[in-house]
Amino acid sequence: MDAGDVDAGDDGTAAILSVGAAAIDEWYAVSNLPEPDGGAFASEVTSAFGGVGANVAVALDRLGRDAGLVSRVGDDEYGRRALAYLDKTGVDGTHVAVGDDPNIRSLILRDPDGERAIVTAGESYRGLRLDDDALAAMAEADAVFLTAYTPDRASRRVLDRVESLREETTDSGDTPPALVFDLSGAVEELVGRGTEPSTVFRFLHRADLFVADGVAAPAFFGSAADAVERIAAAQTAAADAGSESGAEPRSRRGPTWPRAVLTHGADGMTAIAGGEVSRLDAFDVETVDATGAGDAFTAGLIDRWIAGESPSTPWTDRAGRDAVASGVRFAAAVAAINCTSRFTQPGLPSRDEVEAFLAERGFGPNGSR
């Protein structure tokens, strides 16, 4: 599929299903981030559409991809606003359920330097149950994205579903949906409401693409260095086990798969592909608001590596290394552009905007040199 194509299942199922929250973000532009027992003054209060799952889906829609959201909202003012926002996008909301719990919402304090503090409330997404229709849609999708904020029972069901599809397609030769997991939260933040550590480890060993940010990775693995070492070891062990047993490899996408990326904000990204590690720089931009930049980055990776064409060549070949690096650059451009606007979704770029951004910096439209 060419970079600009939009693909969907034969029955109209979205090509990429994003499992995550559809939230309302309440923004407070504060004089300072208060210390314990301290205070601050908000010069402006506003709201916007957010949530990791919705952000990734909308970002893919902006890039011209056919995306759908699997979520659960509350039957309250916030839930109705989330549905109204979603309806204004091109994202398929067929699999967004409505429950009686309060809709998820985030209180975001942002100081003049762009530093943030975020508090999330609302039970709607914690009540997510994957119905038969949503599970059936995964069989027709090219990829399923999942955030660690997903309640553990739903995360396990998604993982079981994708693994069963892999088994079903082993003999037929069909390609099962790619599985993308975002460790989008520190361990203590996920306890009791998100994906449990044991399930995260299952995703580490089963996902085609594993993404974690500079807070989540050290919190889960012990340090950024430990995260790189353990992810690379997991990828190498999976490849070795498949070679020795003759079994189907963990990912059928090629020798530079599975892949993982650890993001470090302005300090760049670490890509781990087929057990090999490389470090890439972030783009330097004047940041207005970094909220949601990680979601934009993940959508860029999905666009280039999952929905777009990615050469199935070994890491030792230049084409294999370039495919990994160009995908990271493209995703970094999506995130950088997003940082130059207030709020998450209004600043998500189109494909033309990303390509123009890359061209100004001497790169090809897909992030290639």
Side-chain angles (χ1 to χ4, degrees), residues 116 183-189 212-224 263-265:
R116 296 161 297 144
L183 182 60
S184 44
V187 176
E188 61 271 18
E189 187 184 356
D213 65 27
V215 173
F220 190 81
F221 292 100
S223 70
T263 60
H264 316 292

PDB file of all heavy atoms in Angstrom, residues 116 183-189 212-224 263-265:
ATOM      1  N   ARG A 116       3.789  20.473  32.958  1.00  0.00           N
ATOM      2  CA  ARG A 116       2.408  20.067  33.211  1.00  0.00           C
ATOM      3  C   ARG A 116       2.286  19.156  34.420  1.00  0.00           C
ATOM      4  O   ARG A 116       3.241  18.486  34.818  1.00  0.00           O
ATOM      5  CB  ARG A 116       1.863  19.306  31.986  1.00  0.00           C
ATOM      6  CG  ARG A 116       1.767  20.099  30.721  1.00  0.00           C
ATOM      7  CD  ARG A 116       1.682  19.161  29.532  1.00  0.00           C
ATOM      8  NE  ARG A 116       2.873  18.347  29.406  1.00  0.00           N
ATOM      9  CZ  ARG A 116       2.889  17.087  29.005  1.00  0.00           C
ATOM     10  NH1 ARG A 116       1.760  16.478  28.689  1.00  0.00           N
ATOM     11  NH2 ARG A 116       4.016  16.406  28.902  1.00  0.00           N
ATOM     12  N   LEU A 183       2.935   1.441  26.480  1.00  0.00           N
ATOM     13  CA  LEU A 183       3.036   1.466  27.944  1.00  0.00           C
ATOM     14  C   LEU A 183       2.911   2.918  28.397  1.00  0.00           C
ATOM     15  O   LEU A 183       3.875   3.563  28.781  1.00  0.00           O
ATOM     16  CB  LEU A 183       4.356   0.848  28.391  1.00  0.00           C
ATOM     17  CG  LEU A 183       4.610   0.738  29.889  1.00  0.00           C
ATOM     18  CD1 LEU A 183       3.550  -0.105  30.561  1.00  0.00           C
ATOM     19  CD2 LEU A 183       6.001   0.180  30.161  1.00  0.00           C
ATOM     20  N   SER A 184       1.712   3.424  28.340  1.00  0.00           N
ATOM     21  CA  SER A 184       1.462   4.863  28.497  1.00  0.00           C
ATOM     22  C   SER A 184       1.094   5.241  29.919  1.00  0.00           C
ATOM     23  O   SER A 184       0.039   5.800  30.180  1.00  0.00           O
ATOM     24  CB  SER A 184       0.336   5.279  27.534  1.00  0.00           C
ATOM     25  OG  SER A 184      -0.715   4.325  27.564  1.00  0.00           O
ATOM     26  N   GLY A 185       1.976   4.935  30.860  1.00  0.00           N
ATOM     27  CA  GLY A 185       1.709   5.322  32.237  1.00  0.00           C
ATOM     28  C   GLY A 185       2.656   4.610  33.187  1.00  0.00           C
ATOM     29  O   GLY A 185       3.077   3.478  32.938  1.00  0.00           O
ATOM     30  N   ALA A 186       3.025   5.289  34.265  1.00  0.00           N
ATOM     31  CA  ALA A 186       3.879   4.681  35.272  1.00  0.00           C
ATOM     32  C   ALA A 186       3.114   3.572  35.988  1.00  0.00           C
ATOM     33  O   ALA A 186       1.885   3.575  36.045  1.00  0.00           O
ATOM     34  CB  ALA A 186       4.343   5.737  36.281  1.00  0.00           C
ATOM     35  N   VAL A 187       3.844   2.605  36.551  1.00  0.00           N
ATOM     36  CA  VAL A 187       3.228   1.433  37.175  1.00  0.00           C
ATOM     37  C   VAL A 187       2.214   1.833  38.231  1.00  0.00           C
ATOM     38  O   VAL A 187       1.083   1.325  38.265  1.00  0.00           O
ATOM     39  CB  VAL A 187       4.310   0.517  37.775  1.00  0.00           C
ATOM     40  CG1 VAL A 187       3.660  -0.651  38.516  1.00  0.00           C
ATOM     41  CG2 VAL A 187       5.235  -0.009  36.690  1.00  0.00           C
ATOM     42  N   GLU A 188       2.603   2.767  39.117  1.00  0.00           N
ATOM     43  CA  GLU A 188       1.697   3.141  40.202  1.00  0.00           C
ATOM     44  C   GLU A 188       0.425   3.820  39.697  1.00  0.00           C
ATOM     45  O   GLU A 188      -0.626   3.755  40.328  1.00  0.00           O
ATOM     46  CB  GLU A 188       2.404   4.056  41.210  1.00  0.00           C
ATOM     47  CG  GLU A 188       2.910   5.380  40.655  1.00  0.00           C
ATOM     48  CD  GLU A 188       4.318   5.294  40.100  1.00  0.00           C
ATOM     49  OE1 GLU A 188       4.792   4.167  39.822  1.00  0.00           O
ATOM     50  OE2 GLU A 188       4.951   6.358  39.940  1.00  0.00           O
ATOM     51  N   GLU A 189       0.506   4.448  38.533  1.00  0.00           N
ATOM     52  CA  GLU A 189      -0.662   5.112  37.962  1.00  0.00           C
ATOM     53  C   GLU A 189      -1.649   4.109  37.365  1.00  0.00           C
ATOM     54  O   GLU A 189      -2.846   4.377  37.264  1.00  0.00           O
ATOM     55  CB  GLU A 189      -0.209   6.102  36.882  1.00  0.00           C
ATOM     56  CG  GLU A 189      -1.309   6.977  36.326  1.00  0.00           C
ATOM     57  CD  GLU A 189      -0.852   7.878  35.206  1.00  0.00           C
ATOM     58  OE1 GLU A 189       0.358   7.883  34.893  1.00  0.00           O
ATOM     59  OE2 GLU A 189      -1.701   8.567  34.632  1.00  0.00           O
ATOM     60  N   ALA A 212       7.068   2.949  24.658  1.00  0.00           N
ATOM     61  CA  ALA A 212       7.039   3.430  26.042  1.00  0.00           C
ATOM     62  C   ALA A 212       7.746   4.773  26.107  1.00  0.00           C
ATOM     63  O   ALA A 212       8.699   5.023  25.358  1.00  0.00           O
ATOM     64  CB  ALA A 212       7.707   2.441  26.987  1.00  0.00           C
ATOM     65  N   ASP A 213       7.292   5.648  27.008  1.00  0.00           N
ATOM     66  CA  ASP A 213       7.906   6.971  27.108  1.00  0.00           C
ATOM     67  C   ASP A 213       8.956   7.008  28.219  1.00  0.00           C
ATOM     68  O   ASP A 213       9.221   6.009  28.893  1.00  0.00           O
ATOM     69  CB  ASP A 213       6.850   8.062  27.302  1.00  0.00           C
ATOM     70  CG  ASP A 213       6.095   7.946  28.616  1.00  0.00           C
ATOM     71  OD1 ASP A 213       6.629   7.407  29.595  1.00  0.00           O
ATOM     72  OD2 ASP A 213       4.938   8.423  28.666  1.00  0.00           O
ATOM     73  N   GLY A 214       9.546   8.180  28.397  1.00  0.00           N
ATOM     74  CA  GLY A 214      10.646   8.338  29.336  1.00  0.00           C
ATOM     75  C   GLY A 214      10.268   8.229  30.786  1.00  0.00           C
ATOM     76  O   GLY A 214      11.153   8.151  31.655  1.00  0.00           O
ATOM     77  N   VAL A 215       8.984   8.235  31.101  1.00  0.00           N
ATOM     78  CA  VAL A 215       8.522   8.025  32.475  1.00  0.00           C
ATOM     79  C   VAL A 215       8.107   6.575  32.674  1.00  0.00           C
ATOM     80  O   VAL A 215       8.498   5.919  33.636  1.00  0.00           O
ATOM     81  CB  VAL A 215       7.344   8.964  32.805  1.00  0.00           C
ATOM     82  CG1 VAL A 215       6.760   8.629  34.172  1.00  0.00           C
ATOM     83  CG2 VAL A 215       7.796  10.423  32.762  1.00  0.00           C
ATOM     84  N   ALA A 216       7.327   6.050  31.737  1.00  0.00           N
ATOM     85  CA  ALA A 216       6.774   4.704  31.883  1.00  0.00           C
ATOM     86  C   ALA A 216       7.855   3.632  31.827  1.00  0.00           C
ATOM     87  O   ALA A 216       7.831   2.679  32.623  1.00  0.00           O
ATOM     88  CB  ALA A 216       5.725   4.456  30.797  1.00  0.00           C
ATOM     89  N   ALA A 217       8.810   3.759  30.903  1.00  0.00           N
ATOM     90  CA  ALA A 217       9.819   2.702  30.737  1.00  0.00           C
ATOM     91  C   ALA A 217      10.690   2.525  31.979  1.00  0.00           C
ATOM     92  O   ALA A 217      10.825   1.405  32.482  1.00  0.00           O
ATOM     93  CB  ALA A 217      10.669   2.974  29.499  1.00  0.00           C
ATOM     94  N   PRO A 218      11.297   3.596  32.522  1.00  0.00           N
ATOM     95  CA  PRO A 218      12.099   3.414  33.731  1.00  0.00           C
ATOM     96  C   PRO A 218      11.273   2.929  34.925  1.00  0.00           C
ATOM     97  O   PRO A 218      11.759   2.126  35.726  1.00  0.00           O
ATOM     98  CB  PRO A 218      12.666   4.815  33.991  1.00  0.00           C
ATOM     99  CG  PRO A 218      12.618   5.502  32.681  1.00  0.00           C
ATOM    100  CD  PRO A 218      11.395   4.974  32.004  1.00  0.00           C
ATOM    101  N   ALA A 219      10.023   3.399  35.014  1.00  0.00           N
ATOM    102  CA  ALA A 219       9.177   2.984  36.133  1.00  0.00           C
ATOM    103  C   ALA A 219       8.877   1.495  36.070  1.00  0.00           C
ATOM    104  O   ALA A 219       8.802   0.815  37.100  1.00  0.00           O
ATOM    105  CB  ALA A 219       7.873   3.777  36.134  1.00  0.00           C
ATOM    106  N   PHE A 220       8.741   0.972  34.874  1.00  0.00           N
ATOM    107  CA  PHE A 220       8.380  -0.438  34.732  1.00  0.00           C
ATOM    108  C   PHE A 220       9.602  -1.356  34.744  1.00  0.00           C
ATOM    109  O   PHE A 220       9.582  -2.414  35.371  1.00  0.00           O
ATOM    110  CB  PHE A 220       7.605  -0.646  33.433  1.00  0.00           C
ATOM    111  CG  PHE A 220       6.991  -2.009  33.313  1.00  0.00           C
ATOM    112  CD1 PHE A 220       5.793  -2.309  33.947  1.00  0.00           C
ATOM    113  CD2 PHE A 220       7.616  -3.002  32.577  1.00  0.00           C
ATOM    114  CE1 PHE A 220       5.231  -3.582  33.853  1.00  0.00           C
ATOM    115  CE2 PHE A 220       7.062  -4.270  32.469  1.00  0.00           C
ATOM    116  CZ  PHE A 220       5.863  -4.560  33.116  1.00  0.00           C
ATOM    117  N   PHE A 221      10.670  -0.942  34.055  1.00  0.00           N
ATOM    118  CA  PHE A 221      11.835  -1.814  33.914  1.00  0.00           C
ATOM    119  C   PHE A 221      12.949  -1.519  34.918  1.00  0.00           C
ATOM    120  O   PHE A 221      13.907  -2.277  35.003  1.00  0.00           O
ATOM    121  CB  PHE A 221      12.399  -1.689  32.498  1.00  0.00           C
ATOM    122  CG  PHE A 221      11.489  -2.251  31.437  1.00  0.00           C
ATOM    123  CD1 PHE A 221      10.678  -1.410  30.680  1.00  0.00           C
ATOM    124  CD2 PHE A 221      11.443  -3.608  31.188  1.00  0.00           C
ATOM    125  CE1 PHE A 221       9.853  -1.921  29.691  1.00  0.00           C
ATOM    126  CE2 PHE A 221      10.613  -4.130  30.201  1.00  0.00           C
ATOM    127  CZ  PHE A 221       9.809  -3.284  29.454  1.00  0.00           C
ATOM    128  N   GLY A 222      12.862  -0.415  35.636  1.00  0.00           N
ATOM    129  CA  GLY A 222      13.888  -0.064  36.619  1.00  0.00           C
ATOM    130  C   GLY A 222      14.726   1.122  36.191  1.00  0.00           C
ATOM    131  O   GLY A 222      15.097   1.961  37.012  1.00  0.00           O
ATOM    132  N   SER A 223      15.036   1.228  34.911  1.00  0.00           N
ATOM    133  CA  SER A 223      15.774   2.368  34.362  1.00  0.00           C
ATOM    134  C   SER A 223      15.630   2.322  32.848  1.00  0.00           C
ATOM    135  O   SER A 223      15.226   1.292  32.271  1.00  0.00           O
ATOM    136  CB  SER A 223      17.261   2.315  34.744  1.00  0.00           C
ATOM    137  OG  SER A 223      17.915   1.255  34.067  1.00  0.00           O
ATOM    138  N   ALA A 224      15.986   3.426  32.192  1.00  0.00           N
ATOM    139  CA  ALA A 224      15.916   3.464  30.735  1.00  0.00           C
ATOM    140  C   ALA A 224      16.871   2.443  30.125  1.00  0.00           C
ATOM    141  O   ALA A 224      16.544   1.769  29.136  1.00  0.00           O
ATOM    142  CB  ALA A 224      16.232   4.872  30.233  1.00  0.00           C
ATOM    143  N   THR A 263      10.762   6.620  23.939  1.00  0.00           N
ATOM    144  CA  THR A 263      10.882   8.057  23.673  1.00  0.00           C
ATOM    145  C   THR A 263      11.447   8.772  24.888  1.00  0.00           C
ATOM    146  O   THR A 263      11.176   8.400  26.029  1.00  0.00           O
ATOM    147  CB  THR A 263       9.523   8.661  23.294  1.00  0.00           C
ATOM    148  OG1 THR A 263       8.591   8.464  24.370  1.00  0.00           O
ATOM    149  CG2 THR A 263       8.956   7.984  22.047  1.00  0.00           C
ATOM    150  N   HIS A 264      12.242   9.807  24.624  1.00  0.00           N
ATOM    151  CA  HIS A 264      12.903  10.556  25.692  1.00  0.00           C
ATOM    152  C   HIS A 264      12.639  12.056  25.564  1.00  0.00           C
ATOM    153  O   HIS A 264      13.491  12.876  25.893  1.00  0.00           O
ATOM    154  CB  HIS A 264      14.413  10.291  25.661  1.00  0.00           C
ATOM    155  CG  HIS A 264      14.787   8.853  25.460  1.00  0.00           C
ATOM    156  ND1 HIS A 264      14.551   7.882  26.408  1.00  0.00           N
ATOM    157  CD2 HIS A 264      15.350   8.220  24.389  1.00  0.00           C
ATOM    158  CE1 HIS A 264      14.974   6.699  25.942  1.00  0.00           C
ATOM    159  NE2 HIS A 264      15.451   6.895  24.721  1.00  0.00           N
ATOM    160  N   GLY A 265      11.481  12.427  25.058  1.00  0.00           N
ATOM    161  CA  GLY A 265      11.152  13.840  24.905  1.00  0.00           C
ATOM    162  C   GLY A 265      12.089  14.515  23.926  1.00  0.00           C
ATOM    163  O   GLY A 265      12.399  13.998  22.843  1.00  0.00           O
TER     164      GLY A 265
END
